[in-house]
Structures are given as C-alpha cells and as structure tokens.
C-alpha cells in the first residue's frame, strides 16, 4: 500500500488535480494544478517546491566508513571534505550501474548516501569485515526541493545562514524560522535551487513556513510532471527510464555501465580497487559500445506531417518515457528514452541511447514521430547536454 511522505497532509490539501504517481512506495503528486505547465513556469521563472522525501537515505558511519564508500562508488572520495557533496553512480561486479545518487561528507567521519532504489543490503554486504555501520534513515528525514531563480531570495529571508556563500554541491546547517535544517545547493531541475532536509516531526511546519512566501515570490508546489520537463532540459538521466538499474534488469541489454551513460567524468579508475573496476577497465580497453546522448528533433519538418493532414502541429504536451526507434539511413542505431517539447528553449529535445559511432555531437539521425497513429521519421541530430543551462545555476 502506498504511504504518504512527511509532507503528505500538506501536499494532499494542495493537490487540486488529484493526479498522483507512485514513487518508491510513496504517493507523489504528478501535478498540483490542473495546468501542470504553470508549475513548470514557476520552476523556471520564480520558484517551485517539490517533495523529494521518497529518496532513500543512508547514514554510513564507523572507522572504515570512507574506505567502505570508496570501495562501492566510482568517484574518488579521498579529497571529499566536510560540507561537500558529490554525485556518483555505483556498479555491480560486471561494471553495470546499480544506481546513482548523492554522497554527503557530514564532517564527523560519517556520510549520507541518497539513492532512488533500496541499497541497504548491498551496502551492508560490501562492508563485511570492515568497521562500518549503515543505517537506513529514509523514514526519519523529509526533504523539500526549492528550485528556481527566486529560491535564493526566499532562503535569504527565511534562514539564519548566509546563503550567498553556499557553493554549488555544498550544504550547511541552519535554522529556518527556528526549525533545524540542512540546506544543500543541489536539485534535479538544472536551475538555481536548494534541497532542505528536516526531521520528520518538523516537516509540516517547514512546508507552512516556506509556503508563506507564495505571494511575495510566486512560489508554488510543483509535481513530478513539471520536474520531469526540467530534468530533461537539464540533460539529466532518470533510472528506470533512461537506463535500468542492473539488479532489476531482465536482460543484459537493459544494463548500462557509467561509460554507456556518458558518465566517464564520474569514474575514477586510478583511485584503486572498487566494485566493478576490472570490468570497467576492460570495457574502456575494448571500446564503449553505446552512449546516452542528447538529441534535438527538427520540429519544422516534423510539424509538416500534421499540417499535411489538416491537423495543428502538436509537439508532445507531456514528457514521454518510452523506447522510440532512432535511425541512420535504413539502419536502426538506437532508441529514444525520454523527451519533451521545451517551453523555454522552444525545441523538441530528448535523451537517447545510440551506438558509439553515432554519438558525436552533430551526427544526423532520424526518429519516429507518431501522427494520427502512424509512424513517420523526423530528422534529428545529436546535440550537447545540458539543453538549458542558465548562468545563475552555479553562480
């Protein structure tokens, strides 16, 4: 049975659309308003508040905590200092991605790892014989993602910390209207934003305090549909959509290495042994067979398929997440995994898996477009990610 997050009493009251999704066993609002694009525009032009509590959260402590985590993730953690956060994938013995998430250095010799799927047993198994304890604190901590250009201004007023000094992928402890919180400069929208972490018992009060800035800053709750458009514009991958977690994959083709996910920058092969390292070294020697890339669909051409039938040109009104064939000439060379019409950059964009020979920026491709239940091919090309990267995101 799906359960509510620590903020459920508030999200339930705010959800006018009654559109909900399942997220890690929780009820999560797909959209709060009957017009989801209003939530998207809040994220891009003012501020949106997203309940991200369903993320799994693990507290890792003990004398060998750092060595244990350096053994299981692909990033090199030896220089990770107090108050810093890194994004990292982690792999199985075959070098295929189990999951990805953020890793926090709490500064007292302990760490917090967040993930999209359960990882407790895997973390414990890899700590056998080491002085390390892994605790699942997912139920104890609520988390809100405050995203958008006005997010910093809101926190300037709301907290006792100096928000202008909080750097990208760092966190600080603060009090928000007397509520002890941790504030991290992280998010999943590709915009300026923060995530606010709070004890479960204080979650509802935190929501109420933040929503008190609704009128002044145009803040409004935002659901999964709006966040999905934003994360595609940011070129960010989503597990079980753009790749399948290796433990839930049914066949090898569904499993992706970090190299196949184009996360080469997040793999430190020279740091010493870690789970999957040998397989990744061999894959690098052999050559990566496929890559996740950004694509841009030629909408000028695709729209003619609609107008030729007397229909209005209709780009996807909601983000899609399905396998759509991608071609080069008569050969299928990959498939799209997620995409949307970007209201901000006014382009039809998406993420796709293609053979490495077709992964270079500028490579011309074709993708299926459905028009009145018929498949047509539209020109597309490989483009850099992120699609949208405002200068204030990291400033």
């Amino acid at each position: 049975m799906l359960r509510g997050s620590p903020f459920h009493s508030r999200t339930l009251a705010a959800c006018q659309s009654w559109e909900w999704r399942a997220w890690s066993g929780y009820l999560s609002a797909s959209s709060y308003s009957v017009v989801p694009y209003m939530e998207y525009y809040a994220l891009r032009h003012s501020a949106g508040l997203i309940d991200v509590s369903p993320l799994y959260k693990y507290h890792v402590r003990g004398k060998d905590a750092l060595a244990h985590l350096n053994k299981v993730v692909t990033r090199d953690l030896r220089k990770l200092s107090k108050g810093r956060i890194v994004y990292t994938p982690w792999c199985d013995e075959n070098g295929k991605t189990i999951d990805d998430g953020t890793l926090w250095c709490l500064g007292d010799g302990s760490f917090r790892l967040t993930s999209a799927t359960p990882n407790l047993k895997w973390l414990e198994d890899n700590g056998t014989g080491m002085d390390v304890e892994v605790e699942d604190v997912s139920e104890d901590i609520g988390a809100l993602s405050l995203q958008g250009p006005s997010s910093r201004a809101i926190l300037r007023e709301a907290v006792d910390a100096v928000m202008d000094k909080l750097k990208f992928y760092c966190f600080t402890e603060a009090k928000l209207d007397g509520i002890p919180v941790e504030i991290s400069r992280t998010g999943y929208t590709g915009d300026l934003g923060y995530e606010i972490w709070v004890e479960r018992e204080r979650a509802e009060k935190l929501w109420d305090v933040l929503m008190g800035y609704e009128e002044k800053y145009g803040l409004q709750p935002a659901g999964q549909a709006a966040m999905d458009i934003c994360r595609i514009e940011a070129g960010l991958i989503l597990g079980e959509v753009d790749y399948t977690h290796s433990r839930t994959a049914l066949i090898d083709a569904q499993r992706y290495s970090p190299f196949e996910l184009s996360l080469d920058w997040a793999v430190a092969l020279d740091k010493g042994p870690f789970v999957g390292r040998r397989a990744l070294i061999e894959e690098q020697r052999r050559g990566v067979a496929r890559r996740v890339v950004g694509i841009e669909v030629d909408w000028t051409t695709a729209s003619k398929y609609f107008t030729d039938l007397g229909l209005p040109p209709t780009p996807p009104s909601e983000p899609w997440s399905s396998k759509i064939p991608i071609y080069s000439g008569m050969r299928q060379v990959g498939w799209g995994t997620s995409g949307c019409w970007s209201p901000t950059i006014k382009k039809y964009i998406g993420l796709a898996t293609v053979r490495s020979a077709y992964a270079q920026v500028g490579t011309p491709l074709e993708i299926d477009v459905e028009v009145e239940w018929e498949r047509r091919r539209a020109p597309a090309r490989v483009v850099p990610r992120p699609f949208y990267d405002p200068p204030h995101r990291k400033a």
Side-chain angles (χ1 to χ4, degrees), residues 64-325:
D64 296 330
L66 177 60
H68 169 254
L69 288 169
N70 223 17
K71 170 188 172 184
V72 297
V73 304
T74 61
R75 297 291 296 272
D76 188 349
L77 307 180
R78 290 174 294 182
K79 294 183 180 180
L80 185 62
S81 58
K82 178 182 178 180
R84 297 286 298 178
I85 303 171
V86 295
Y87 165 83
T88 183
W90 49 96
C91 298
D92 59 24
E93 290 288 353
N94 297 316
K96 301 302 182 181
T97 307
I98 292 176
D99 207 340
D100 62 310
T102 59
L103 182 63
W104 302 38
C105 179
L106 301 178
D108 59 356
S110 68
F111 302 82
R112 176 185 296 155
L113 181 68
T114 68
S115 66
T117 60
N119 281 271
L120 179 61
K121 187 177 186 304
W122 185 81
L123 289 168
E124 290 178 335
D125 288 348
N126 279 284
T128 301
M130 304 178 78
D131 183 0
V132 63
E133 178 186 351
V134 183
E135 181 184 4
D136 186 344
V137 294
S138 304
E139 291 286 333
D140 303 330
I141 300 174
L144 291 175
S145 188
L146 177 64
Q147 302 287 305
S150 297
S151 58
R152 181 184 289 140
I154 292 171
L155 291 180
R156 278 192 189 122
E157 290 194 31
V159 305
D160 61 357
V162 182
M163 298 311 301
D164 290 342
K165 293 185 178 180
L166 187 61
K167 295 181 179 179
F168 193 58
Y169 265 70
C170 291
F171 74 93
T172 186
E173 295 181 350
K175 287 191 176 181
L176 198 156
D177 197 35
I179 307 168
V181 295
E182 294 168 323
I183 301 175
S184 59
R185 189 151 170 210
T186 51
Y188 198 49
T189 65
D191 214 312
L192 174 65
Y194 304 83
E195 291 174 322
I196 306 167
W197 308 74
V198 66
E199 294 177 355
R200 185 182 189 92
E201 293 74 17
R202 302 174 187 262
E204 293 173 343
K205 183 180 178 182
L206 174 64
W207 178 280
D208 294 340
V209 171
L210 288 172
M211 287 308 300
Y213 294 91
E214 179 178 10
E215 184 174 342
K216 182 174 181 179
Y217 289 102
L219 172 66
Q220 66 180 82
Q224 297 294 306
M227 186 168 68
D228 205 25
I229 299 174
C230 290
R231 73 94 187 165
I232 293 172
E233 290 179 332
L236 300 175
I237 58 173
L238 177 60
E240 302 301 329
V241 172
D242 301 303
Y243 79 97
T244 302
H245 301 287
S246 69
R247 289 178 301 192
T248 60
L250 300 177
I251 58 175
D252 286 342
Q254 295 175 343
R255 298 179 175 92
Y256 283 67
S257 75
F259 294 144
E260 292 174 309
L261 293 173
S262 297
L263 294 176
D264 306 52
W265 57 271
V267 180
L269 293 176
D270 59 350
K271 72 170 181 175
F274 63 88
V275 180
R277 179 174 180 264
R278 290 182 180 178
L280 291 172
I281 290 174
E282 173 59 23
E283 181 183 15
Q284 192 178 65
R285 183 197 66 79
R286 187 175 63 246
V288 181
R290 58 185 181 176
R291 294 281 189 173
V292 169
V293 299
I295 59 168
E296 180 184 316
V297 181
D298 181 355
W299 184 246
T300 300
T301 299
S303 65
K304 292 181 180 178
Y305 297 141
F306 294 87
T307 57
D308 287 348
L309 292 176
L311 296 170
T314 310
S317 59
E318 295 182 359
W320 53 263
S321 54
S322 56
K323 302 294 189 293
I324 297 181

